[in-house]
Amino acid sequence: MRRAGRTTALLVVLGAVLAVLGTGTAQAAGYRYWSFWEVSGSGWAYATQGPSLVRPDDGSVQGFRFSVSADSQDSAKPRRSPDFSKICAHVPAQDGTKRVALVIDPGTAADAPEGETPPPPRTACAQVPKDASSAEALASVAKPLRYGSDALLCAITGYPATGCGEQVSGNGDSGRQASADASAPTSASAAAGSGGSGGGPSAGVLVGVGAVLLLGIAAVAQARRRRG
């Protein structure tokens, strides 16, 4: 009987923990925005600065990807390889300028705002002054650009037509537009410094789990004393 009682108590605790974790997962949300990428080896790495701050060297490759993501850890990468020799093959070097290869990926239909269809991914070779930023390189080949008041890159070549960093609920439905003090990235690469882990439970959820475990342990101990 004592063993059955302890087993029942432990099952109650486990059920409460799972309920708390389930709540955290159901409330997970992301934001729809253009992310900014740089080359890392033969692949892509989320940029640690926004495109207006980065001043790439001649021969650099940079990427932009439109998608829905919670932070830099789960953000979708551009779906074209960062190959400078291929992208800028037909653009000869010129004195006083630099060449920056760009990969522009508007993402998939699943990430598109309601009523809009993403254009196909493309590449471009920007030839710009040596002191030009990544944002200036992008503007030279992909106008019109649209930025939010907080420097978030909202649209490239007019896509998407509306919206900027709007919140998207965990089930993929569009929510309200993120306010300035919300947790949406405040620039095309601000989420890179968030230190988030993507799909894991939040700190609040973990605190809740810890509280539930402590209560469960106390309940089991009390049940043992009563039966002792």
Side-chain angles (χ1 to χ4, degrees), residues 92-132:
Q94 293 183 6
D95 291 339
T97 69
K98 62 184 176 184
R99 295 167 298 165
V100 180
L102 299 172
V103 175
I104 303 169
D105 187 346
T108 67
D111 291 327
E114 185 177 357
E116 297 201 50
T117 301
R122 69 184 183 94
T123 60
C125 186
Q127 193 159 40
V128 292
K130 287 188 175 181
D131 63 347

Side-chain angles (χ1 to χ4, degrees), residues 50-72:
S52 63
L53 299 177
V54 175
R55 301 194 179 276
D57 296 326
D58 180 72
S60 297
V61 185
Q62 306 199 307
F64 296 85
R65 171 67 191 266
F66 188 76
S67 66
V68 174
S69 63
D71 55 37
S72 62

Side-chain angles (χ1 to χ4, degrees), residues 36-48 54 56-57 59-64 77-78 80-85 87 100-103 134:
F36 177 45
W37 300 81
E38 296 178 309
V39 174
S40 175
S42 60
W44 294 107
Y46 203 97
T48 57
V54 175
D57 296 326
S60 297
V61 185
Q62 306 199 307
F64 296 85
K77 298 179 181 180
R80 295 287 187 274
S81 61
D83 190 339
F84 177 84
S85 61
I87 297 172
V100 180
L102 299 172
V103 175
S134 299

Side-chain angles (χ1 to χ4, degrees), residues 2 13 15 25 49 62 82 100-101 115 128 147 167 172 176 193 197-198 213 215-216 224:
R2 291 182 180 179
V13 173
T25 302
Q49 292 181 298
Q62 306 199 307
V100 180
V128 292
Y147 288 90
Q167 190 178 42
R176 60 174 177 81
S197 59
L213 285 174
L215 289 173
R224 288 180 175 178

Side-chain angles (χ1 to χ4, degrees), residues 14-27 201 204-210 212:
L14 179 59
V17 170
L18 292 176
V20 172
L21 289 175
T23 300
T25 302
Q27 294 175 347
V205 171
L206 293 177
V207 170
V209 170
V212 170

